[in-house]
Amino acid sequence: MLEILVPGVLLVNGLAAGVLMGTQLGGWPLLQSLPPGRYVHAHAFFSTRFDPFMPICLIGTLAGDAALALLTGPPAATVLFAVAGALALGTVTVSLVKNVPVNRWIRGLDPDHLPEDFAERDPRRHWGGWNRARSAMSVAALAVNCVAVGLLL
């Protein structure tokens, strides 16, 4: 069971962390630089490309880490898998509570006819901060998972 679960967790965690790091390195700087209408169009385009891929990766990481925390023998590895699972849970929570609602709102806007108060409601600053937080948690979960796997060898 561990022969399948360990590489599976590393795979889905690594994919999620990689996508989120990609948003930090390229996607987010691009979105910040765009004028409002082009930002809305680009954000809506990007946000639809990650479903259901990212939820599967994040939930897979969370479930896999929970299983590994229960199934592994060395106490240090058990603790580390639990910590990685908590970081994955944090990533999922931030995604669902902070980022997904903004993504849905942006997808519902017409980039050619933005609301008059868009400048006051422009979500970029807040969305970007929460995206940085979830990116950091996902990468930290991957690092912790790698250390935990090293303890199993």
Side-chain angles (χ1 to χ4, degrees):
M1 176 87 159
L2 291 178
E3 298 83 13
I4 295 170
L5 197 53
V6 168
V9 168
L10 291 179
L11 175 64
V12 294
N13 191 179
L15 289 169
V19 167
L20 287 169
M21 279 307 300
T23 68
Q24 295 304 304
L25 298 174
W28 184 240
L30 170 68
L31 291 176
Q32 283 185 297
S33 71
L34 296 174
R38 290 186 60 203
Y39 157 70
V40 167
H41 182 269
H43 188 128
F45 174 84
F46 285 132
S47 70
T48 60
R49 299 299 181 266
F50 297 110
D51 288 334
F53 175 78
M54 285 299 287
I56 290 169
C57 288
L58 293 171
I59 298 301
T61 301
L62 175 57
D65 277 324
L68 288 168
L70 294 172
L71 295 173
T72 56
T78 298
V79 169
L80 289 174
F81 284 126
V83 168
L87 288 163
L89 178 60
T91 306
V92 169
T93 302
V94 168
S95 296
L96 290 174
V97 174
K98 297 296 184 178
N99 293 90
V100 168
V102 170
N103 293 347
R104 286 187 182 137
W105 180 66
I106 291 291
R107 283 195 306 261
L109 295 177
D110 178 350
D112 296 321
H113 300 94
L114 295 177
E116 289 184 24
D117 64 345
F118 184 81
E120 294 84 44
R121 297 175 63 191
D122 188 337
R124 284 183 264 198
R125 188 182 73 220
H126 297 294
W127 189 95
W130 287 111
N131 194 56
R132 278 188 299 282
R134 70 184 182 154
S135 297
M137 285 186 284
S138 185
V139 170
L142 179 59
V144 172
N145 272 324
C146 288
V147 173
V149 169
L151 294 175
L152 296 179
L153 300 177

